[in-house]
Amino acid sequence: MSTPPSVEAQRSICWTGTRAFLIECADLTEVVNLHAHLAAHPLPGQRELLAAGRTVMVAFDSRKYAVSGAQAVASLDYDDAASVSGDTIRIPVLYDGEDLAAVANLTNMSVEGVIAAHTQTQWRGAFGGFAPGFTYLVSDSDPLVVPRRETPRTAVPAGSVALAGNFSAVYPRQSPGGWQLIGRTSAQMWDLDRDKPALVRPGDTVVYEAVRELIEINGVSAENTPDGSGGGSGESPASLEVIHPGLQSLIQDLGRPGLGDLGVSASGAADKTSVRQANRILGNDSNAAVIENVLGELELRALGELILAVTGAEVSIEIERVTEIEQPAEPEQPSEPKELEESDEDIDTGPQFHVQQRTAPMRSAFKLHDGETLRLGAPRAGLRTYVGVRGGFDAPKFLNSRATDSMSGIGPSPLATGHVLNVGSPARAGGVVQAVVGQAEPAIADLPQAGKLTELRITLGPRDDWFDAAGIAALTEQEWLATSQSNRIGVRFELSDGSRPMTRAKDGELASEGAVPGSLQIPPSGLPVLFLADHPVTGGYPVAGVVIESDLALAAQLPPGARVKFTPVDPDSLTPLSPSTTSPSTPSLKGPSA
């Protein structure tokens, strides 16, 4: 069956940032069909494609490709995709969730009635998202329709069975989430060792079965990934030993874009600008793996001769060499026995050591000799520091990237004392090194500091119309404070003195939809959450604005206590919008279909 040619008024586009937009669909069937067509026939420059409840998100490599894509989608005609049929998956559930009683009240049922409705329904996998192995399940009867929690939990346990809107799902691993928890399961929803890592995929049928106990709550195998030591191709000529990892140190590269449909975020370094700078200085490929460190205090020992560069947060770089002092040879003892008298000079004090210390500059290549120890101090500005090495770290690859995704657990595990990090060889072509070590570089920008103001430029949308004028003014005309609850998933903000939370113009629930890095998601509390590298690929709270790509590095460097001002800008010229402008809707932005 073929769909009739599209009409502009039938296909609405909402921009999310400058390089991506949401295509609003009439129903889930249109979502599935449109997604299947764009997957089989990608638009020029198309980088990411993600189906959700009522939208399809398309992201592009550049603003130019995105505008052309919006124009193409306006008149797109396509055939219905063939229906997808899958397996029947039975999932055992112990119904003891924290929100079970609340769900009963919301649905005017007893707890037993909620369990009966959940287990007697055949659920169908509609689309992936949020996290690897997290598949949104729907049913034709919609037996349990409940809102999300007003404030999302910072940590939902792995295996939690949950409801939100008309969807049901299982959390594959511990992660933030705002769904209502009704039970838990021992089913392993995501396993990289399986041929098909996701237990439930779009098109599968899921039947929940109530049990009295769970024999075992399985961990997600992706959480038990190897560390950054070894796993590369061949023996490395040099390596680095982790003496102390600091608060958190991870192996990162530029990420794994294009896997959003599997629930896998692009991840990669939170501040990709600093990664590119470190690799540029070292003569590496821009995607070479580095160490991302939070709040300094990292200690590394060289095993072999190395060239390093440190970028990102401003830290002191100290290098120490400890050598044993050779003691003079003791005189030969006479052959006759002689009575010895005790004295202080006769006490063996053990070996003596000589300590040599030096410092190294930021954003410049320097040598770390065999046996020397590198120490990073606490940041004077910024939050995340990047340590690159000539040749890059030869860590294991997962889904074609060495990046550590803190939300999904994909990638090398966090660095720990004793890890040995192999170093690769500089890229070669025909036996000749492709790039030489570069010159020192200046700081790219003034980094955020606690108590100081940082401006982040944003484009409004895609859901700024969910907020009234006072709500948009609260977002853009007052200061916000970054909190200590922030991480690689996102930065949480709190109110500064005299400020107010955002207020809505619309009530109700927004169907989960795709999100891009930099999205400012606004839960009912009215306090923004700024998505960073490991954010869920979909979200259910409205996004009022998106930080522009060139300011994402600053967002990743916000320490707790930093003051932030969000400034709306035109998506093409990046010039500030007037305070009276509450939407960036312009013909060049939206294209003919908007």
Side-chain angles (χ1 to χ4, degrees):
M1 176 180 176
S2 176
T3 58
S6 301
V7 180
E8 289 183 13
Q10 293 179 339
R11 187 168 294 137
S12 176
I13 289 176
C14 297
W15 283 88
T16 179
T18 62
R19 302 180 185 179
F21 52 77
L22 301 172
I23 308 169
E24 296 189 318
C25 299
D27 51 33
L28 190 57
T29 299
E30 184 182 357
V31 167
V32 172
N33 292 343
L34 179 58
H35 174 270
H37 175 82
L38 291 176
H41 308 282
L43 298 168
Q46 181 176 308
R47 181 180 61 189
E48 191 84 57
L49 182 67
L50 181 64
R54 294 292 296 271
T55 60
V56 176
M57 188 187 81
V58 194
F60 296 85
D61 290 328
S62 69
R63 173 70 178 166
K64 179 180 178 180
Y65 280 130
V67 172
S68 297
Q71 295 170 346
V73 165
S75 57
L76 183 65
D77 184 22
Y78 61 93
D79 293 332
D80 285 343
S83 59
V84 179
S85 59
D87 301 326
T88 297
I89 311 296
R90 299 187 178 275
I91 297 179
V93 180
L94 179 61
Y95 287 93
D96 61 353
E98 295 179 39
D99 301 319
L100 184 58
V103 169
N105 289 332
L106 289 168
T107 56
N108 293 318
M109 295 181 181
S110 64
V111 167
E112 292 76 14
V114 171
I115 296 172
H118 197 244
T119 55
Q120 293 173 12
T121 297
Q122 283 198 340
W123 299 88
R124 176 169 51 90
F127 53 89
F130 181 71
F134 190 103
T135 301
Y136 289 79
L137 306 175
V138 296
S139 72
D140 295 333
S141 60
D142 290 338
L144 298 167
V145 179
V146 295
R148 292 174 178 82
R149 291 168 51 87
E150 287 193 4
T151 302
R153 291 181 171 91
T154 57
V156 175
S160 294
V161 179
L163 301 169
N166 62 333
F167 295 107
S168 178
V170 179
Y171 282 79
R173 73 187 304 269
Q174 179 175 299
S175 60
W179 288 35
Q180 307 280 1
L181 308 184
I182 61 173
R184 51 197 170 99
T185 181
S186 59
Q188 194 166 331
M189 307 303 295
W190 177 262
D191 185 352
L192 285 172
D193 291 332
R194 290 194 295 239
D195 291 338
K196 296 180 179 179
L199 177 65
V200 178
R201 301 176 299 278
D204 287 345
T205 297
V206 170
V207 177
Y208 292 108
E209 297 179 336
V211 297
R212 293 184 179 275
E213 62 178 350
L214 295 176
I215 298 175
E216 180 183 2
I217 297 292
N218 290 329
V220 179
S221 64
E223 293 180 336
N224 302 316
T225 53
D227 57 49
S229 57
S233 55
E235 185 178 350
S236 175
S239 57
L240 277 169
E241 180 184 2
V242 179
I243 305 303
H244 182 61
L247 180 64
Q248 182 189 67
S249 293
L250 307 171
I251 296 294
Q252 295 292 352
D253 57 19
L254 298 182
R256 47 180 71 85
L259 300 176
D261 267 346
L262 296 178
V264 178
S265 70
S267 188
D271 177 358
K272 293 178 173 60
T273 299
S274 291
V275 172
R276 292 187 178 97
Q277 184 181 49
N279 283 324
R280 185 167 58 247
I281 292 170
L282 292 166
N284 291 337
D285 180 88
S286 62
N287 195 37
V290 302
I291 296 174
E292 177 183 273
N293 166 262
V294 175
L295 292 176
E297 309 301 333
L298 173 67
E299 293 186 27
L300 303 168
R301 178 181 296 137
L303 306 176
E305 299 293 316
L306 298 166
I307 300 176
L308 277 67
V310 178
T311 60
E314 294 287 344
V315 297
S316 62
I317 307 170
E318 297 180 354
I319 299 172
E320 182 177 274
R321 172 181 289 276
V322 180
T323 55
E324 184 175 348
I325 301 174
E326 293 186 7
Q327 300 296 323
E330 295 183 3
E332 293 185 4
Q333 298 295 326
S335 57
E336 304 85 16
K338 183 178 180 180
E339 184 176 344
L340 299 178
E341 297 181 359
E342 289 189 2
S343 69
D344 291 342
E345 295 180 357
D346 295 325
I347 297 175
D348 184 4
T349 59
Q352 302 296 307
F353 296 95
H354 177 62
V355 178
Q356 295 174 299
Q357 292 181 327
R358 59 188 173 95
T359 61
M362 290 282 298
R363 299 174 296 278
S364 179
F366 61 89
K367 290 184 177 180
L368 192 66
H369 299 293
D370 184 29
E372 290 186 329
T373 298
L374 171 77
R375 293 189 181 92
L376 302 184
R380 299 182 296 272
L383 181 69
R384 294 179 167 90
T385 304
Y386 294 86
V387 179
V389 63
R390 173 79 165 163
F393 290 104
D394 194 15
K397 282 189 175 183
F398 298 85
L399 299 178
N400 203 35
S401 169
R402 294 182 169 94
T404 301
D405 186 337
S406 63
M407 183 170 180
S408 71
I410 297 175
S413 61
L415 301 188
T417 299
H419 282 179
V420 175
L421 309 176
N422 287 344
V423 176
S425 299
R428 293 176 178 269
V432 179
V433 177
Q434 290 180 316
V436 298
V437 173
Q439 299 296 317
E441 296 188 7
I444 296 172
D446 291 335
L447 295 181
Q449 298 181 46
K452 293 191 175 182
L453 181 64
T454 296
E455 180 185 49
L456 296 178
R457 293 168 292 176
I458 66 171
T459 56
L460 292 174
R463 301 302 177 189
D464 52 320
D465 60 338
W466 277 60
F467 302 90
D468 55 26
I472 296 299
L475 175 65
T476 60
E477 297 177 15
Q478 66 182 12
E479 295 179 6
W480 297 89
L481 293 178
T483 73
S484 59
Q485 295 184 357
S486 305
N487 52 31
R488 282 178 48 83
I489 295 171
V491 181
R492 292 175 178 263
F493 292 94
E494 62 185 7
L495 299 175
S496 59
D497 292 340
S499 60
R500 62 191 186 280
M502 294 180 63
T503 50
R504 284 191 180 190
K506 293 183 180 181
D507 295 323
E509 291 289 310
L510 176 70
S512 292
E513 56 190 24
V516 298
S519 294
L520 287 166
Q521 192 180 64
I522 316 298
S525 65
L527 304 180
V529 178
L530 195 167
F531 280 171
L532 293 182
D534 292 351
H535 71 86
V537 296
T538 61
Y541 298 117
V543 171
V546 179
V547 175
I548 66 172
E549 286 82 359
S550 55
D551 283 3
L552 283 177
L554 283 177
Q557 293 289 357
L558 290 170
R563 297 157 46 213
V564 176
K565 174 78 161 48
F566 297 112
T567 300
V569 296
D570 177 85
D572 290 305
S573 66
L574 301 185
T575 56
L577 299 174
S578 64
S580 61
T581 305
T582 59
S583 173
S585 303
T586 64
S588 63
L589 170 71
K590 285 188 170 276
S593 67

